[in-house]
PDB file of all heavy atoms in Angstrom:
ATOM      1  N   SER A 456     -11.027-122.487   1.431  1.00 98.00           N
ATOM      2  CA  SER A 456     -10.446-121.236   0.965  1.00 98.00           C
ATOM      3  C   SER A 456      -9.629-120.608   2.083  1.00 98.00           C
ATOM      4  O   SER A 456      -9.989-120.722   3.260  1.00 98.00           O
ATOM      5  CB  SER A 456     -11.542-120.265   0.520  1.00 98.00           C
ATOM      6  OG  SER A 456     -12.267-120.806  -0.569  1.00 98.00           O
ATOM      7  N   ASP A 457      -8.542-119.949   1.715  1.00 98.00           N
ATOM      8  CA  ASP A 457      -7.709-119.351   2.754  1.00 98.00           C
ATOM      9  C   ASP A 457      -6.935-118.162   2.214  1.00 98.00           C
ATOM     10  O   ASP A 457      -6.842-117.934   1.004  1.00 98.00           O
ATOM     11  CB  ASP A 457      -6.749-120.389   3.334  1.00 98.00           C
ATOM     12  CG  ASP A 457      -5.702-120.861   2.345  1.00 98.00           C
ATOM     13  OD1 ASP A 457      -4.810-120.061   1.988  1.00 98.00           O
ATOM     14  OD2 ASP A 457      -5.757-122.032   1.917  1.00 98.00           O
ATOM     15  N   LEU A 458      -6.391-117.404   3.158  1.00 97.00           N
ATOM     16  CA  LEU A 458      -5.522-116.267   2.882  1.00 97.00           C
ATOM     17  C   LEU A 458      -4.152-116.485   3.527  1.00 97.00           C
ATOM     18  O   LEU A 458      -3.523-115.556   4.011  1.00 97.00           O
ATOM     19  CB  LEU A 458      -6.162-114.983   3.422  1.00 97.00           C
ATOM     20  CG  LEU A 458      -7.477-114.561   2.747  1.00 97.00           C
ATOM     21  CD1 LEU A 458      -8.153-113.456   3.548  1.00 97.00           C
ATOM     22  CD2 LEU A 458      -7.244-114.123   1.322  1.00 97.00           C
ATOM     23  N   ILE A 459      -3.702-117.736   3.544  1.00 97.00           N
ATOM     24  CA  ILE A 459      -2.469-118.086   4.252  1.00 97.00           C
ATOM     25  C   ILE A 459      -1.498-118.867   3.377  1.00 97.00           C
ATOM     26  O   ILE A 459      -0.433-119.283   3.853  1.00 97.00           O
ATOM     27  CB  ILE A 459      -2.766-118.912   5.522  1.00 97.00           C
ATOM     28  CG1 ILE A 459      -3.485-120.214   5.160  1.00 97.00           C
ATOM     29  CG2 ILE A 459      -3.590-118.097   6.518  1.00 97.00           C
ATOM     30  CD1 ILE A 459      -3.664-121.172   6.326  1.00 97.00           C
ATOM     31  N   THR A 460      -1.809-119.078   2.093  1.00 96.00           N
ATOM     32  CA  THR A 460      -0.968-119.874   1.207  1.00 96.00           C
ATOM     33  C   THR A 460       0.080-118.981   0.541  1.00 96.00           C
ATOM     34  O   THR A 460      -0.290-118.096  -0.246  1.00 96.00           O
ATOM     35  CB  THR A 460      -1.815-120.565   0.125  1.00 96.00           C
ATOM     36  OG1 THR A 460      -2.823-121.361   0.754  1.00 96.00           O
ATOM     37  CG2 THR A 460      -0.956-121.446  -0.757  1.00 96.00           C
ATOM     38  N   PRO A 461       1.376-119.154   0.852  1.00 94.00           N
ATOM     39  CA  PRO A 461       2.398-118.264   0.293  1.00 94.00           C
ATOM     40  C   PRO A 461       2.396-118.218  -1.235  1.00 94.00           C
ATOM     41  O   PRO A 461       2.550-117.162  -1.837  1.00 94.00           O
ATOM     42  CB  PRO A 461       3.706-118.855   0.827  1.00 94.00           C
ATOM     43  CG  PRO A 461       3.312-119.548   2.091  1.00 94.00           C
ATOM     44  CD  PRO A 461       1.944-120.115   1.813  1.00 94.00           C
ATOM     45  N   SER A 462       2.209-119.383  -1.861  1.00 91.00           N
ATOM     46  CA  SER A 462       2.124-119.456  -3.318  1.00 91.00           C
ATOM     47  C   SER A 462       0.678-119.738  -3.690  1.00 91.00           C
ATOM     48  O   SER A 462       0.082-120.692  -3.196  1.00 91.00           O
ATOM     49  CB  SER A 462       3.034-120.565  -3.856  1.00 91.00           C
ATOM     50  OG  SER A 462       2.870-120.717  -5.249  1.00 91.00           O
ATOM     51  N   PHE A 463       0.113-118.906  -4.571  1.00 94.00           N
ATOM     52  CA  PHE A 463      -1.288-119.051  -4.961  1.00 94.00           C
ATOM     53  C   PHE A 463      -1.594-120.502  -5.352  1.00 94.00           C
ATOM     54  O   PHE A 463      -0.816-121.151  -6.043  1.00 94.00           O
ATOM     55  CB  PHE A 463      -1.594-118.128  -6.141  1.00 94.00           C
ATOM     56  CG  PHE A 463      -2.984-118.265  -6.668  1.00 94.00           C
ATOM     57  CD1 PHE A 463      -4.040-117.586  -6.072  1.00 94.00           C
ATOM     58  CD2 PHE A 463      -3.243-119.082  -7.758  1.00 94.00           C
ATOM     59  CE1 PHE A 463      -5.322-117.730  -6.566  1.00 94.00           C
ATOM     60  CE2 PHE A 463      -4.525-119.225  -8.251  1.00 94.00           C
ATOM     61  CZ  PHE A 463      -5.564-118.543  -7.648  1.00 94.00           C
ATOM     62  N   MET A 464      -2.756-120.992  -4.891  1.00 97.00           N
ATOM     63  CA  MET A 464      -3.125-122.373  -5.179  1.00 97.00           C
ATOM     64  C   MET A 464      -4.612-122.462  -5.508  1.00 97.00           C
ATOM     65  O   MET A 464      -5.446-121.824  -4.858  1.00 97.00           O
ATOM     66  CB  MET A 464      -2.810-123.271  -3.971  1.00 97.00           C
ATOM     67  CG  MET A 464      -3.135-124.746  -4.200  1.00 97.00           C
ATOM     68  SD  MET A 464      -2.300-125.457  -5.644  1.00 97.00           S
ATOM     69  CE  MET A 464      -0.570-125.233  -5.197  1.00 97.00           C
ATOM     70  N   ASN A 465      -4.920-123.241  -6.526  1.00 98.00           N
ATOM     71  CA  ASN A 465      -6.310-123.479  -6.918  1.00 98.00           C
ATOM     72  C   ASN A 465      -6.410-124.877  -7.505  1.00 98.00           C
ATOM     73  O   ASN A 465      -5.653-125.232  -8.407  1.00 98.00           O
ATOM     74  CB  ASN A 465      -6.765-122.440  -7.944  1.00 98.00           C
ATOM     75  CG  ASN A 465      -8.056-122.844  -8.654  1.00 98.00           C
ATOM     76  OD1 ASN A 465      -8.059-123.027  -9.861  1.00 98.00           O
ATOM     77  ND2 ASN A 465      -9.125-122.974  -7.909  1.00 98.00           N
ATOM     78  N   THR A 466      -7.324-125.677  -6.972  1.00 98.00           N
ATOM     79  CA  THR A 466      -7.588-127.004  -7.531  1.00 98.00           C
ATOM     80  C   THR A 466      -9.073-127.302  -7.434  1.00 98.00           C
ATOM     81  O   THR A 466      -9.749-126.880  -6.487  1.00 98.00           O
ATOM     82  CB  THR A 466      -6.823-128.118  -6.785  1.00 98.00           C
ATOM     83  OG1 THR A 466      -7.162-128.083  -5.391  1.00 98.00           O
ATOM     84  CG2 THR A 466      -5.320-127.955  -6.944  1.00 98.00           C
ATOM     85  N   VAL A 467      -9.576-128.021  -8.425  1.00 98.00           N
ATOM     86  CA  VAL A 467     -10.963-128.492  -8.422  1.00 98.00           C
ATOM     87  C   VAL A 467     -10.958-129.957  -8.834  1.00 98.00           C
ATOM     88  O   VAL A 467     -10.374-130.328  -9.856  1.00 98.00           O
ATOM     89  CB  VAL A 467     -11.836-127.675  -9.394  1.00 98.00           C
ATOM     90  CG1 VAL A 467     -13.234-128.301  -9.516  1.00 98.00           C
ATOM     91  CG2 VAL A 467     -11.956-126.231  -8.931  1.00 98.00           C
ATOM     92  N   GLU A 468     -11.592-130.780  -8.024  1.00 98.00           N
ATOM     93  CA  GLU A 468     -11.767-132.201  -8.348  1.00 98.00           C
ATOM     94  C   GLU A 468     -13.247-132.523  -8.350  1.00 98.00           C
ATOM     95  O   GLU A 468     -13.994-132.075  -7.472  1.00 98.00           O
ATOM     96  CB  GLU A 468     -11.080-133.096  -7.307  1.00 98.00           C
ATOM     97  CG  GLU A 468      -9.576-132.983  -7.247  1.00 98.00           C
ATOM     98  CD  GLU A 468      -9.001-133.934  -6.204  1.00 98.00           C
ATOM     99  OE1 GLU A 468      -9.539-135.054  -6.045  1.00 98.00           O
ATOM    100  OE2 GLU A 468      -8.027-133.536  -5.541  1.00 98.00           O
ATOM    101  N   VAL A 469     -13.671-133.317  -9.331  1.00 98.00           N
ATOM    102  CA  VAL A 469     -15.044-133.812  -9.371  1.00 98.00           C
ATOM    103  C   VAL A 469     -14.973-135.291  -9.716  1.00 98.00           C
ATOM    104  O   VAL A 469     -14.296-135.680 -10.686  1.00 98.00           O
ATOM    105  CB  VAL A 469     -15.904-133.065 -10.412  1.00 98.00           C
ATOM    106  CG1 VAL A 469     -17.334-133.615 -10.407  1.00 98.00           C
ATOM    107  CG2 VAL A 469     -15.916-131.570 -10.140  1.00 98.00           C
ATOM    108  N   HIS A 470     -15.672-136.115  -8.945  1.00 98.00           N
ATOM    109  CA  HIS A 470     -15.643-137.558  -9.152  1.00 98.00           C
ATOM    110  C   HIS A 470     -17.056-138.080  -9.387  1.00 98.00           C
ATOM    111  O   HIS A 470     -17.993-137.735  -8.651  1.00 98.00           O
ATOM    112  CB  HIS A 470     -15.018-138.251  -7.942  1.00 98.00           C
ATOM    113  CG  HIS A 470     -13.642-137.742  -7.627  1.00 98.00           C
ATOM    114  ND1 HIS A 470     -12.534-138.109  -8.345  1.00 98.00           N
ATOM    115  CD2 HIS A 470     -13.215-136.849  -6.689  1.00 98.00           C
ATOM    116  CE1 HIS A 470     -11.463-137.495  -7.860  1.00 98.00           C
ATOM    117  NE2 HIS A 470     -11.860-136.715  -6.853  1.00 98.00           N
ATOM    118  N   GLY A 471     -17.195-138.886 -10.446  1.00 98.00           N
ATOM    119  CA  GLY A 471     -18.484-139.464 -10.785  1.00 98.00           C
ATOM    120  C   GLY A 471     -18.359-140.957 -11.014  1.00 98.00           C
ATOM    121  O   GLY A 471     -17.264-141.532 -10.921  1.00 98.00           O
ATOM    122  N   ASP A 472     -19.488-141.603 -11.353  1.00 97.00           N
ATOM    123  CA  ASP A 472     -19.456-143.060 -11.469  1.00 97.00           C
ATOM    124  C   ASP A 472     -18.807-143.555 -12.767  1.00 97.00           C
ATOM    125  O   ASP A 472     -18.654-144.759 -12.963  1.00 97.00           O
ATOM    126  CB  ASP A 472     -20.857-143.660 -11.294  1.00 97.00           C
ATOM    127  CG  ASP A 472     -21.889-143.015 -12.204  1.00 97.00           C
ATOM    128  OD1 ASP A 472     -21.504-142.479 -13.250  1.00 97.00           O
ATOM    129  OD2 ASP A 472     -23.090-143.057 -11.864  1.00 97.00           O
ATOM    130  N   ASN A 473     -18.390-142.617 -13.654  1.00 98.00           N
ATOM    131  CA  ASN A 473     -17.602-143.047 -14.816  1.00 98.00           C
ATOM    132  C   ASN A 473     -16.229-142.387 -14.859  1.00 98.00           C
ATOM    133  O   ASN A 473     -15.503-142.526 -15.843  1.00 98.00           O
ATOM    134  CB  ASN A 473     -18.333-142.755 -16.135  1.00 98.00           C
ATOM    135  CG  ASN A 473     -17.611-143.342 -17.333  1.00 98.00           C
ATOM    136  OD1 ASN A 473     -17.276-144.533 -17.336  1.00 98.00           O
ATOM    137  ND2 ASN A 473     -17.324-142.522 -18.340  1.00 98.00           N
ATOM    138  N   GLY A 474     -15.852-141.672 -13.811  1.00 98.00           N
ATOM    139  CA  GLY A 474     -14.525-141.091 -13.849  1.00 98.00           C
ATOM    140  C   GLY A 474     -14.368-139.838 -13.031  1.00 98.00           C
ATOM    141  O   GLY A 474     -15.187-139.547 -12.147  1.00 98.00           O
ATOM    142  N   SER A 475     -13.327-139.056 -13.357  1.00 98.00           N
ATOM    143  CA  SER A 475     -12.956-137.906 -12.545  1.00 98.00           C
ATOM    144  C   SER A 475     -12.505-136.740 -13.415  1.00 98.00           C
ATOM    145  O   SER A 475     -12.040-136.931 -14.544  1.00 98.00           O
ATOM    146  CB  SER A 475     -11.822-138.273 -11.587  1.00 98.00           C
ATOM    147  OG  SER A 475     -12.165-139.354 -10.752  1.00 98.00           O
ATOM    148  N   PHE A 476     -12.600-135.555 -12.818  1.00 98.00           N
ATOM    149  CA  PHE A 476     -12.066-134.334 -13.426  1.00 98.00           C
ATOM    150  C   PHE A 476     -11.113-133.692 -12.436  1.00 98.00           C
ATOM    151  O   PHE A 476     -11.400-133.619 -11.237  1.00 98.00           O
ATOM    152  CB  PHE A 476     -13.198-133.354 -13.755  1.00 98.00           C
ATOM    153  CG  PHE A 476     -12.721-131.961 -14.097  1.00 98.00           C
ATOM    154  CD1 PHE A 476     -12.441-131.611 -15.408  1.00 98.00           C
ATOM    155  CD2 PHE A 476     -12.538-130.994 -13.101  1.00 98.00           C
ATOM    156  CE1 PHE A 476     -11.986-130.334 -15.736  1.00 98.00           C
ATOM    157  CE2 PHE A 476     -12.085-129.715 -13.410  1.00 98.00           C
ATOM    158  CZ  PHE A 476     -11.810-129.391 -14.731  1.00 98.00           C
ATOM    159  N   PHE A 477      -9.973-133.220 -12.944  1.00 98.00           N
ATOM    160  CA  PHE A 477      -9.076-132.396 -12.139  1.00 98.00           C
ATOM    161  C   PHE A 477      -8.722-131.183 -12.970  1.00 98.00           C
ATOM    162  O   PHE A 477      -8.306-131.304 -14.129  1.00 98.00           O
ATOM    163  CB  PHE A 477      -7.799-133.142 -11.757  1.00 98.00           C
ATOM    164  CG  PHE A 477      -6.790-132.264 -11.060  1.00 98.00           C
ATOM    165  CD1 PHE A 477      -6.820-132.110  -9.680  1.00 98.00           C
ATOM    166  CD2 PHE A 477      -5.837-131.558 -11.779  1.00 98.00           C
ATOM    167  CE1 PHE A 477      -5.909-131.284  -9.037  1.00 98.00           C
ATOM    168  CE2 PHE A 477      -4.918-130.728 -11.145  1.00 98.00           C
ATOM    169  CZ  PHE A 477      -4.959-130.592  -9.766  1.00 98.00           C
TER     170      PHE A 477
END
Side-chain angles (χ1 to χ4, degrees):
S456 298
D457 67 69
L458 295 168
I459 60 173
T460 303
S462 175
F463 176 83
M464 181 57 61
N465 165 242
T466 57
V467 172
E468 295 181 36
V469 180
H470 304 283
D472 52 25
N473 187 51
S475 303
F476 167 91
F477 174 88

